[in-house]
Amino acid sequence: MRKSRPCLGTRRPVEAHEFTGGEGESTHPKVMISSEKLKGVGATLSDADHMQSQGCSVEWMPIHGIKPTRVCPLQRAKKWAQEVVIMDQERSWPCEWAGGSRVHQVAERVEALGQFVMKTRRTLKGHGNKVLCMDWCKDKRRIVSSSQDGKVIVWDSFTTNKFYCRFENLPSKSWGEEVTVCDTAKEKGVQVCMNKKVHISCSSTLTLMLVSLHASGLDNKCSVYPLTFDKNENMAAKKKSVAMHTNYLSACSFTNSDMQILTASGDGTCALWDVESGQLLQSFHGHGADVLCLDLAPSETGNTFVSGGCDKKAMVWDMRSGQCVQAFETHESDINSVRYYPSGDAFASGSDDATCRLYDLRADREVAIYSKESIIFGASSVDFSLSGRLLFAGYNDYTINVWDVLKGSRVSILFGHENRVSTLRVSPDGTAFCSGSWDHTLRVSGCVSTIQCVRGGGRDQPSWQQRGQSRLRWAGQPGSSRFSPVGSHGGRELPGEVQGASATQVFKHRLDNCVSAWS
Amino acid sequence: MAQDLSEKELLKMEVEQLKKEVKNTRVPISKTGKEIKDYVEAQAGNDPLLKGVPEDKNPFKEKGSCAIS
């Protein structure tokens, strides 16, 4: 039984409704009249007839206890429909219900991962204000990010250089030439709009999509900017306005074909637009409050997407018909981020209620919750690793937690950001992930590759094996040096001496006679 | 637009949606959970963040003072 948490950052005031389930039979059923005109309770039969003749809906309901309370039939109908769904599952698969409904129960036999070490490999500094959004380019190397001062910067994540230049399938060895074309010291990014928040999505042809989030009339627009230009050209002049909503835009994405754009808005709807003509192709109504995030299904032929909103619901939509296919309402607060599972059969969501949850689309239910008592700040963005075993989530308490999707446990926590993490994406080839934060920086992080070790030998002669890694030698540092390891073993890790100038550096783990070496 | 709708209309929308969803077919988790697990196990070998990348192939390695022999 989870303790209730304070709802941080709810954007819409929630009105309390008195609701009774109406369980149990009373010997004196009374009539509840529920219409806009007369919210009466404890009325008599003649009143009921009277109301019915007036055209109001009247419902017979048993009342539990002496003091009657107001009931809204719509709330009751909603609860009924939800219960039907649950009963359907119970009736069809009784053993399923008894066996549990969480993925970690199915994955009991799967080997646990142990503690992971994640390390920040690159820190990208250059933004003058909070980093709000970022995306990886499909070349798996460039990162595009936007910040609150309205600037967009294109980074080379390998070298941390900032630049923008012509992207025309140049071979990698000409990288050096590209960098000299633009002066990276002077080019601090492109000013696309003054003091407005911008949301980024990269298409495969490297056109940028920038969405202005400032809700001030004309600015609720989504524009597409081509990235192929030279520094003399005015990027803002080449922009093409595509989408328009009646309230702020919160998220956008190119579709698989790159010819269409999907947007999510504070007006509670999502919309599909054609890039060339700017025409609205389909709109998606169903959320009861602002839509905050969306993600497209990964398959090439897929035409569904999932959206999450301030109404605590995650909804899966069919892009062609505009209908909501499935809706999930188990979160306790706004859903900030949704991301499809790599196989496309599930999706994860991160919310202000400090949990991330996994929803299975074919089972039509929530199958895992990733939470800890110690985590009380909301998750702002989530993403999966390539295989779907790891879930990376950035939180408002400045950390990034890495969850084991199958087991439901946290395998790593990454510190380093000095303000809340606002955006997080895993690179397209899965080698690293990048997180953007309100501390004006982006950090590209990956896991520290370790050499596996085995127990063996005596205390003085440990035997060990390495996993596909060449031996290391520390240049210029013969003799012993202090080495503080962090690795996954059975016992506690202790600092120890690394001795010798031999080709192989080993550290001996005192508790279980294991040895490991770190790269 | 969602803010313009009254509570009653929002609930009506939700009930309509739920009525549609009642008809969905559902697969037991013992099956779908297993498929997720199988997917992960099949893909785990290709996942650089899970298995680690050898330093000589890692494009993000730091340019430290160590050399690989």
Side-chain angles (χ1 to χ4, degrees):
Chain A
M1 187 72 172
R2 290 185 82 249
K3 295 190 210 125
S4 62
R5 298 200 196 290
C7 273
L8 302 164
T10 316
R11 291 177 181 98
R12 186 177 142 101
V14 176
E15 286 155 69
H17 278 274
E18 288 163 85
F19 176 75
T20 54
E23 300 97 36
E25 294 289 329
S26 160
T27 49
H28 301 286
K30 289 192 165 62
V31 171
M32 304 287 279
I33 295 178
S34 47
S35 75
E36 303 249 279
K37 292 180 210 149
L38 178 70
K39 288 201 175 80
V41 297
T44 60
L45 275 170
S46 55
D47 288 333
D49 285 343
H50 176 72
M51 294 309 294
Q52 266 184 324
S53 64
Q54 297 285 313
C56 296
S57 63
V58 168
E59 192 182 18
W60 282 93
M61 284 183 56
I63 301 174
H64 203 64
I66 301 164
K67 197 170 179 186
T69 46
R70 268 185 294 172
V71 169
C72 170
L74 282 171
Q75 288 260 5
R76 190 171 159 73
K78 176 179 169 186
K79 191 164 187 211
W80 168 85
Q82 283 170 333
E83 277 167 17
V84 165
V85 168
I86 293 171
M87 270 162 44
D88 182 31
Q89 288 164 330
E90 263 184 66
R91 220 182 302 124
S92 316
W93 308 293
C95 55
E96 167 76 9
W97 190 263
S101 55
R102 296 264 174 262
V103 76
H104 67 81
Q105 280 150 322
V106 174
E108 252 165 5
R109 300 252 178 86
V110 176
E111 206 183 292
L113 285 175
Q115 286 298 306
F116 257 60
V117 182
M118 292 287 170
K119 202 170 147 193
T120 298
R121 298 287 188 165
R122 299 281 187 274
T123 304
L124 306 177
K125 294 186 186 168
H127 275 296
N129 209 320
K130 303 174 183 173
V131 176
L132 296 175
C133 193
M134 56 83 43
D135 198 4
W136 288 85
C137 290
K138 301 289 189 284
D139 66 351
K140 306 156 199 169
R141 179 170 170 166
R142 286 189 205 84
I143 291 172
V144 186
S145 61
S146 73
S147 76
Q148 193 154 322
D149 57 5
K151 287 212 175 110
V152 170
I153 299 184
V154 181
W155 311 83
D156 177 351
S157 61
F158 294 174
T159 62
T160 77
N161 286 332
K162 303 184 252 307
F163 64 95
Y164 58 86
C165 58
R166 305 184 71 83
F167 299 122
E168 279 173 337
N169 303 318
L170 291 165
S172 53
K173 67 174 189 236
S174 67
W175 273 112
E177 293 157 37
E178 280 186 57
V179 168
T180 56
V181 162
C182 66
D183 188 340
T184 55
K186 285 190 209 142
E187 302 298 350
K188 283 273 182 174
V190 180
Q191 192 86 20
V192 292
C193 37
M194 295 299 293
N195 297 322
K196 295 196 176 75
K197 295 183 239 183
V198 153
H199 187 98
I200 299 261
S201 176
C202 280
S203 80
S204 51
T205 54
L206 294 175
T207 51
L208 256 188
M209 170 160 55
L210 301 170
V211 170
S212 170
L213 296 189
H214 196 67
S216 67
L218 295 174
D219 288 325
N220 301 328
K221 276 195 276 203
C222 178
S223 316
V224 178
Y225 293 75
L227 272 180
T228 53
F229 54 87
D230 62 57
K231 62 181 177 172
N232 296 320
E233 271 186 56
N234 183 4
M235 188 173 164
K238 283 232 158 183
K239 83 168 181 198
K240 190 192 175 76
S241 268
V242 175
M244 179 101 93
H245 276 272
T246 55
N247 207 328
Y248 71 88
L249 274 100
S250 52
C252 58
S253 179
F254 279 100
T255 61
N256 286 329
S257 62
D258 287 344
M259 305 303 285
Q260 291 159 354
I261 283 175
L262 205 51
T263 56
S265 165
D267 64 10
T269 66
C270 301
L272 183 67
W273 310 82
D274 180 67
V275 174
E276 270 310 304
S277 60
Q279 204 190 356
L280 173 68
L281 298 171
Q282 186 66 261
S283 74
F284 306 90
H285 297 256
H287 274 286
D290 311 10
V291 185
L292 294 179
C293 50
L294 60 84
D295 191 36
L296 272 142
S299 86
E300 287 299 317
T301 55
N303 42 29
T304 58
F305 72 95
V306 61
S307 63
C310 285
D311 56 355
K312 312 174 203 167
K313 284 206 288 222
M315 303 179 88
V316 181
W317 306 87
D318 180 335
M319 284 205 279
R320 285 172 304 186
S321 65
Q323 294 297 311
C324 170
V325 175
Q326 286 168 293
F328 303 89
E329 195 178 346
T330 60
H331 268 295
E332 293 164 19
S333 186
D334 307 359
I335 297 179
N336 293 318
S337 168
V338 286
R339 190 75 67 211
Y340 261 95
Y341 195 74
S343 68
D345 292 329
F347 69 91
S349 60
S351 159
D352 274 345
D353 65 1
T355 66
C356 298
R357 294 173 199 236
L358 185 70
Y359 296 93
D360 189 314
L361 293 170
R362 286 172 314 155
D364 192 31
R365 60 194 305 166
E366 174 197 287
V367 292
I369 303 183
Y370 306 103
S371 68
K372 259 177 135 51
E373 286 294 328
S374 52
I375 301 176
I376 56 167
F377 282 85
S380 60
S381 57
V382 296
D383 204 356
F384 284 103
S385 71
L386 216 59
S387 63
R389 182 71 193 263
L390 300 174
L391 177 70
F392 297 91
Y395 288 78
N396 293 340
D397 62 359
Y398 316 171
T399 63
I400 296 168
N401 289 307
V402 186
W403 300 92
D404 181 340
V405 169
L406 295 181
K407 294 287 191 182
S409 56
R410 179 173 67 183
V411 293
S412 187
I413 179 168
L414 195 64
F415 299 99
H417 277 298
E418 290 158 19
N419 207 320
R420 53 164 89 174
V421 179
S422 52
T423 173
L424 193 153
R425 296 296 286 257
V426 171
S427 76
D429 59 355
T431 49
F433 63 94
C434 180
S435 55
S437 158
W438 282 14
D439 67 358
H440 310 350
T441 66
L442 291 111
R443 285 169 179 254
V444 180
S445 315
C447 93
V448 173
S449 53
T450 61
I451 301 174
Q452 192 70 299
C453 70
V454 293
R455 187 195 295 260
R459 191 182 268 211
D460 298 315
Q461 284 170 342
S463 68
W464 56 280
Q465 71 186 53
Q466 57 190 18
R467 227 183 354 163
Q469 176 65 301
S470 52
R471 297 191 280 188
L472 298 175
R473 174 167 56 90
W474 291 98
Q477 282 181 358
S480 63
S481 51
R482 280 237 95 121
F483 200 58
S484 302
V486 195
S488 58
H489 298 290
R492 274 186 310 138
E493 284 81 35
L494 299 165
E497 295 279 330
V498 177
Q499 293 183 352
S502 61
T504 310
Q505 299 291 318
V506 299
F507 164 73
K508 189 171 148 198
H509 193 296
R510 272 174 266 176
L511 286 185
D512 58 4
N513 284 336
C514 272
V515 287
S516 11
W518 281 263
S519 54
Chain B
M1 280 151 63
Q3 286 90 334
D4 296 338
L5 300 171
S6 68
E7 288 290 333
K8 183 176 169 187
E9 279 159 26
L10 283 173
L11 279 168
K12 264 195 192 153
M13 220 165 49
E14 281 184 41
V15 170
E16 285 304 316
Q17 178 57 38
L18 280 165
K19 281 186 187 160
K20 272 186 250 164
E21 282 182 35
V22 163
K23 301 188 185 89
N24 284 352
T25 49
R26 288 174 190 87
V27 182
I29 291 183
S30 46
K31 194 153 163 264
T32 60
K34 186 168 180 306
E35 282 174 29
I36 290 181
K37 185 179 70 125
D38 293 340
Y39 179 88
V40 168
E41 282 173 350
Q43 298 286 326
N46 299 334
D47 190 348
L49 282 167
L50 198 61
K51 293 293 178 200
V53 178
E55 276 304 289
D56 47 358
K57 290 205 181 67
N58 186 358
F60 292 108
K61 69 172 186 262
E62 277 105 26
K63 299 149 224 166
S65 60
C66 60
I68 295 178
S69 57

